[in-house]
Amino acid sequence: MTTKPIVRRSLRAAVVSGVVATLAMAGLQSPAFAYGRMDISGGLGHATTNNVNDVLFGCDDKANGIGVYGRFIMQEGSLVDVPDPDGESGGCGVDDWRGTGYYAYKLQAVQRDGTASAWGYTY
């Protein structure tokens, strides 16, 4: 009786177990930063960030004469509002925090009549 098949099966099982364990650990680790976005229902507008949460956008997605702003809570606690006056054709309001060391960790989209998205996290 030869031991080659047993050794081969044992090595294959060890490799598969190692790959599964590595993938499981990778899934448990979250990135330090991630893109954030919150939408007001009905397509009225949204608040979003870039992938490291230091460029903030408030976007009015509907030309209804009301206007939208993105509301952001920065990691040190300050509140930042980024306005987009009105209409979907003019782009988004932008506030650039790159190079300052500050980033948003919570965001909300708010239409100026008070209609708003829920608060969301950027990670």
Side-chain angles (χ1 to χ4, degrees), residues 42 62 74 89-90 94 101 108-109:
K62 193 168 198 167
M74 306 303 279
S89 63
V94 180
Q108 179 185 40

Side-chain angles (χ1 to χ4, degrees), residues 25-109:
M25 289 304 292
L28 292 175
Q29 296 175 353
S30 61
F33 298 98
Y35 164 85
R37 180 178 171 130
M38 293 302 292
D39 293 276
I40 302 171
S41 65
L44 299 174
H46 66 277
T48 189
T49 65
N50 67 340
N51 65 335
V52 292
N53 305 314
D54 60 2
V55 180
L56 318 175
F57 303 92
C59 304
D60 189 343
D61 296 329
K62 193 168 198 167
N64 58 5
I66 300 175
V68 168
Y69 59 95
R71 176 162 276 178
F72 302 87
I73 298 178
M74 306 303 279
Q75 95 284 2
E76 95 300 346
S78 67
L79 182 69
V80 175
D81 287 339
V82 181
D84 185 6
D86 184 50
E88 56 194 330
S89 63
C92 297
V94 180
D95 199 352
D96 191 338
W97 289 75
R98 287 180 289 194
T100 66
Y102 294 100
Y103 60 90
Y105 85 96
K106 282 183 90 171
L107 71 164
Q108 179 185 40

